[in-house]
Amino acid sequence: MTKIALIGAGGKMGCRLTDNFLKCTDYLLHYLEVSPQGISNLQQRNVTVSDQESAVPEADVVILAVPDVAIGAISNEIIPLMKPGALVLTLDPAAPLDGVIAHRDELGYVIAHPCHPGIFNWEPTEHDFRDFYGGITARQSIVVALMHGTEAHYQLGEKVSQDMYAPIKDTHRITLEQMAILEPAMVETLAQTCMEVVKEGYDRILELGVPQAAARDFVLGHLRIQIAVLFKEVNGTFSDAAYKISKRAKPILFKDDWKKIFEMDDIRQQVKDITSK
């Protein structure tokens, strides 16, 4: 039976993984947590905190479910305790790309990140559908990358990732650099920022007197059909007027060189900003 040490098991992400591992019988889990709140979160789940000095050296897989700003220091403490041939599994590409995670040649390193349930994801009940983060009732895809190690390390990392992020739709194998292009560059630097601006616009039209219920239905309904058209979920186009106004708006809202956020030099600065305190 594969032995797993889950570091940060009582944190926000750690609790999501813990909840799924508690439903899985394929592994022997050691849950590690040091914060009082995290320990309390585990106690609410009837989970006992393990001892780091005994759990980590026995683990076949060590999962670092800790914040990006802390993962470097924590890895310097944890990774020297790991047995040769074991696997380090991280949940985000920022720290691995920035080179802040402690490295040992005899270990494997895999990164696995959830895609979250898609906008057009279908679930049989509203309860299942309203799992927006994924990992509970709604299916989601995941991306997995092998940063260092053997194919056996990748296969083990993929299997553990599928179980801890379940239920899974598809698993996509990509490179670490490709994962960083996706996050932070695409979904945080670009998409989240644009959505924050849309929300600021929504707040502004409420200030201008548009009734909230009408504004919410109008904005969210248009976002859905606009995304459906752009990503070919429907066989349709925008109106001629919509294309004309979009062409007028782009130079007002965006700099000409905005796509530089997808260049690796810029991405490396993005991840450095993420991992720095």
Side-chain angles (χ1 to χ4, degrees), residues 68-84:
D68 290 302
V69 295
I71 196 170
I74 292 173
S75 73
N76 286 329
E77 179 181 340
I78 296 294
I79 288 178
L81 300 177
M82 295 176 62
K83 66 182 179 182

Side-chain angles (χ1 to χ4, degrees), residues 170-183:
D170 295 306
T171 300
H172 305 288
R173 183 172 183 173
I174 60 177
T175 67
L176 171 60
E177 289 76 14
Q178 289 168 341
M179 196 180 295
I181 290 172
L182 291 172
E183 180 171 322

Side-chain angles (χ1 to χ4, degrees), residues 146-158:
L146 175 67
M147 185 174 75
H148 177 80
T150 66
E151 185 64 19
H153 283 122
Y154 174 81
Q155 294 298 331
L156 175 59
E158 181 183 81

Side-chain angles (χ1 to χ4, degrees), residues 124-155:
T125 69
E126 182 178 356
H127 172 267
D128 292 347
F129 167 78
R130 294 190 69 82
D131 171 22
F132 297 117
Y133 282 103
I136 303 175
T137 58
R139 296 169 302 144
Q140 65 177 339
S141 296
I142 59 174
V143 291
V144 186
L146 175 67
M147 185 174 75
H148 177 80
T150 66
E151 185 64 19
H153 283 122
Y154 174 81
Q155 294 298 331

Side-chain angles (χ1 to χ4, degrees), residues 35 42 64 69 77 106 113 164 177 189-190 224 237 261:
S35 75
L42 294 176
L64 298 177
V69 295
E77 179 181 340
E106 67 272 26
H113 197 81
M164 72 185 187
E177 289 76 14
T189 302
L190 178 60
R224 187 169 186 261
T237 62
I261 65 171

Side-chain angles (χ1 to χ4, degrees), residues 22-254:
L22 288 172
K23 296 181 285 187
C24 187
T25 59
D26 292 345
Y27 311 106
L28 177 61
L29 261 294
H30 290 287
Y31 301 92
L32 282 76
E33 180 60 60
V34 295
S35 75
Q37 182 59 58
I39 293 172
S40 175
N41 291 338
L42 294 176
Q43 289 173 340
Q44 294 172 25
R45 291 167 167 79
N46 295 318
V47 170
T48 301
V49 176
S50 297
D51 175 69
Q52 175 177 299
E53 281 67 29
S54 60
V56 173
E58 294 181 359
D60 302 301
V61 182
V62 171
I63 302 173
L64 298 177
V66 296
D68 290 302
V69 295
I71 196 170
I74 292 173
S75 73
N76 286 329
E77 179 181 340
I78 296 294
I79 288 178
L81 300 177
M82 295 176 62
K83 66 182 179 182
L87 174 66
V88 180
L89 181 58
T90 62
L91 312 181
D92 187 276
L97 188 67
D98 198 30
V100 300
I101 295 180
H103 179 79
R104 285 171 53 195
D105 280 342
E106 67 272 26
L107 300 178
Y109 291 77
V110 167
I111 304 97
H113 197 81
C115 296
H116 305 296
I119 293 173
F120 304 108
N121 188 55
W122 182 87
E123 298 295 338
T125 69
E126 182 178 356
H127 172 267
D128 292 347
F129 167 78
R130 294 190 69 82
D131 171 22
F132 297 117
Y133 282 103
I136 303 175
T137 58
R139 296 169 302 144
Q140 65 177 339
S141 296
I142 59 174
V143 291
V144 186
L146 175 67
M147 185 174 75
H148 177 80
T150 66
E151 185 64 19
H153 283 122
Y154 174 81
Q155 294 298 331
L156 175 59
E158 181 183 81
K159 173 64 168 61
V160 172
S161 301
Q162 289 169 338
D163 289 330
M164 72 185 187
Y165 289 135
I168 297 298
K169 178 179 176 286
D170 295 306
T171 300
H172 305 288
R173 183 172 183 173
I174 60 177
T175 67
L176 171 60
E177 289 76 14
Q178 289 168 341
M179 196 180 295
I181 290 172
L182 291 172
E183 180 171 322
M186 179 64 209
V187 300
E188 292 176 340
T189 302
L190 178 60
Q192 180 179 323
T193 303
C194 288
M195 286 299 99
E196 288 175 352
V197 172
V198 169
K199 177 56 166 57
E200 290 175 11
Y202 170 82
D203 293 339
R204 178 57 182 154
I205 66 176
L206 297 185
E207 293 173 356
L208 294 173
V210 179
Q212 182 174 8
R216 182 178 174 87
D217 285 348
F218 200 87
V219 171
L220 295 183
H222 276 75
L223 283 175
R224 187 169 186 261
I225 187 57
Q226 286 164 349
I227 295 171
V229 169
L230 290 169
F231 285 86
K232 306 301 182 184
E233 283 290 322
V234 295
N235 183 22
T237 62
F238 301 135
S239 67
D240 290 343
Y243 282 117
K244 287 174 65 177
I245 204 66
S246 175
K247 184 176 180 180
R248 173 186 179 276
K250 276 188 178 179
I252 298 173
L253 298 175
F254 295 97

